mmCIF file of all heavy atoms in Angstrom:
data_model
loop_
_atom_site.group_PDB
_atom_site.id
_atom_site.type_symbol
_atom_site.label_atom_id
_atom_site.label_comp_id
_atom_site.label_asym_id
_atom_site.label_seq_id
_atom_site.Cartn_x
_atom_site.Cartn_y
_atom_site.Cartn_z
ATOM 1 N N GLY R 299 -15.199 -13.936 -9.755
ATOM 2 C CA GLY R 299 -14.837 -13.175 -8.560
ATOM 3 C C GLY R 299 -15.748 -13.506 -7.391
ATOM 4 O O GLY R 299 -16.965 -13.574 -7.545
ATOM 5 N N PHE R 300 -15.164 -13.762 -6.261
ATOM 6 C CA PHE R 300 -15.906 -14.043 -5.030
ATOM 7 C C PHE R 300 -16.895 -15.202 -5.208
ATOM 8 O O PHE R 300 -17.990 -15.209 -4.657
ATOM 9 C CB PHE R 300 -16.600 -12.776 -4.508
ATOM 10 C CG PHE R 300 -15.614 -11.651 -4.341
ATOM 11 C CD1 PHE R 300 -15.455 -10.689 -5.324
ATOM 12 C CD2 PHE R 300 -14.798 -11.605 -3.222
ATOM 13 C CE1 PHE R 300 -14.501 -9.681 -5.194
ATOM 14 C CE2 PHE R 300 -13.843 -10.595 -3.088
ATOM 15 C CZ PHE R 300 -13.700 -9.644 -4.071
ATOM 16 N N GLY R 301 -16.490 -16.163 -6.054
ATOM 17 C CA GLY R 301 -17.247 -17.406 -6.160
ATOM 18 C C GLY R 301 -18.455 -17.369 -7.078
ATOM 19 O O GLY R 301 -19.164 -18.362 -7.203
ATOM 20 N N THR R 302 -18.672 -16.227 -7.763
ATOM 21 C CA THR R 302 -19.831 -16.173 -8.662
ATOM 22 C C THR R 302 -19.350 -16.131 -10.107
ATOM 23 O O THR R 302 -18.533 -15.269 -10.470
ATOM 24 C CB THR R 302 -20.678 -14.906 -8.388
ATOM 25 O OG1 THR R 302 -21.082 -14.948 -7.030
ATOM 26 C CG2 THR R 302 -21.894 -14.858 -9.291
ATOM 27 N N GLU R 303 -19.865 -17.062 -10.918
ATOM 28 C CA GLU R 303 -19.430 -17.110 -12.314
ATOM 29 C C GLU R 303 -20.062 -15.951 -13.076
ATOM 30 O O GLU R 303 -21.286 -15.872 -13.182
ATOM 31 C CB GLU R 303 -19.851 -18.444 -12.916
ATOM 32 C CG GLU R 303 -19.006 -18.834 -14.093
ATOM 33 C CD GLU R 303 -19.289 -20.257 -14.533
ATOM 34 O OE1 GLU R 303 -19.177 -21.165 -13.672
ATOM 35 O OE2 GLU R 303 -19.632 -20.426 -15.700
ATOM 36 N N THR R 304 -19.217 -15.029 -13.589
ATOM 37 C CA THR R 304 -19.758 -13.859 -14.281
ATOM 38 C C THR R 304 -19.328 -13.812 -15.749
ATOM 39 O O THR R 304 -19.597 -12.833 -16.444
ATOM 40 C CB THR R 304 -19.294 -12.555 -13.588
ATOM 41 O OG1 THR R 304 -17.876 -12.594 -13.503
ATOM 42 C CG2 THR R 304 -19.908 -12.390 -12.225
ATOM 43 N N ALA R 305 -18.626 -14.842 -16.203
ATOM 44 C CA ALA R 305 -18.193 -14.910 -17.607
ATOM 45 C C ALA R 305 -17.954 -16.380 -17.932
ATOM 46 O O ALA R 305 -17.762 -17.194 -17.012
ATOM 47 C CB ALA R 305 -16.903 -14.104 -17.786
ATOM 48 N N PRO R 306 -17.960 -16.741 -19.223
ATOM 49 C CA PRO R 306 -17.674 -18.135 -19.559
ATOM 50 C C PRO R 306 -16.317 -18.555 -18.988
ATOM 51 O O PRO R 306 -15.347 -17.791 -19.068
ATOM 52 C CB PRO R 306 -17.638 -18.131 -21.091
ATOM 53 C CG PRO R 306 -18.371 -16.900 -21.492
ATOM 54 C CD PRO R 306 -18.199 -15.903 -20.395
ATOM 55 N N ALA R 307 -16.252 -19.740 -18.427
ATOM 56 C CA ALA R 307 -15.054 -20.181 -17.699
ATOM 57 C C ALA R 307 -13.792 -20.133 -18.543
ATOM 58 O O ALA R 307 -12.698 -19.904 -18.029
ATOM 59 C CB ALA R 307 -15.280 -21.583 -17.162
ATOM 60 N N ASN R 308 -13.939 -20.340 -19.884
ATOM 61 C CA ASN R 308 -12.731 -20.426 -20.710
ATOM 62 C C ASN R 308 -12.466 -19.170 -21.536
ATOM 63 O O ASN R 308 -11.661 -19.179 -22.452
ATOM 64 C CB ASN R 308 -12.813 -21.666 -21.618
ATOM 65 C CG ASN R 308 -14.106 -21.661 -22.409
ATOM 66 O OD1 ASN R 308 -14.950 -20.783 -22.204
ATOM 67 N ND2 ASN R 308 -14.262 -22.627 -23.308
ATOM 68 N N VAL R 309 -13.130 -18.060 -21.218
ATOM 69 C CA VAL R 309 -12.887 -16.833 -22.000
ATOM 70 C C VAL R 309 -11.472 -16.330 -21.699
ATOM 71 O O VAL R 309 -11.028 -16.330 -20.552
ATOM 72 C CB VAL R 309 -13.946 -15.744 -21.665
ATOM 73 C CG1 VAL R 309 -13.827 -15.241 -20.244
ATOM 74 C CG2 VAL R 309 -13.827 -14.562 -22.639
ATOM 75 N N PRO R 310 -10.728 -15.926 -22.734
ATOM 76 C CA PRO R 310 -9.392 -15.366 -22.472
ATOM 77 C C PRO R 310 -9.517 -14.063 -21.675
ATOM 78 O O PRO R 310 -10.420 -13.260 -21.909
ATOM 79 C CB PRO R 310 -8.833 -15.093 -23.874
ATOM 80 C CG PRO R 310 -9.633 -15.959 -24.780
ATOM 81 C CD PRO R 310 -11.001 -16.057 -24.175
ATOM 82 N N VAL R 311 -8.602 -13.871 -20.756
ATOM 83 C CA VAL R 311 -8.692 -12.731 -19.836
ATOM 84 C C VAL R 311 -7.350 -12.016 -19.756
ATOM 85 O O VAL R 311 -6.298 -12.654 -19.802
ATOM 86 C CB VAL R 311 -9.103 -13.243 -18.424
ATOM 87 C CG1 VAL R 311 -8.765 -12.237 -17.336
ATOM 88 C CG2 VAL R 311 -10.594 -13.552 -18.385
ATOM 89 N N PHE R 312 -7.388 -10.708 -19.638
ATOM 90 C CA PHE R 312 -6.187 -9.897 -19.366
ATOM 91 C C PHE R 312 -6.434 -9.247 -18.007
ATOM 92 O O PHE R 312 -7.415 -8.526 -17.843
ATOM 93 C CB PHE R 312 -6.042 -8.848 -20.480
ATOM 94 C CG PHE R 312 -4.932 -7.852 -20.277
ATOM 95 C CD1 PHE R 312 -3.641 -8.271 -19.966
ATOM 96 C CD2 PHE R 312 -5.172 -6.489 -20.427
ATOM 97 C CE1 PHE R 312 -2.610 -7.341 -19.797
ATOM 98 C CE2 PHE R 312 -4.146 -5.559 -20.264
ATOM 99 C CZ PHE R 312 -2.871 -5.995 -19.950
#
Side-chain angles (χ1 to χ4, degrees):
F300 306 97
T302 302
E303 204 171 305
T304 54
N308 53 355
V309 66
V311 161
F312 174 50

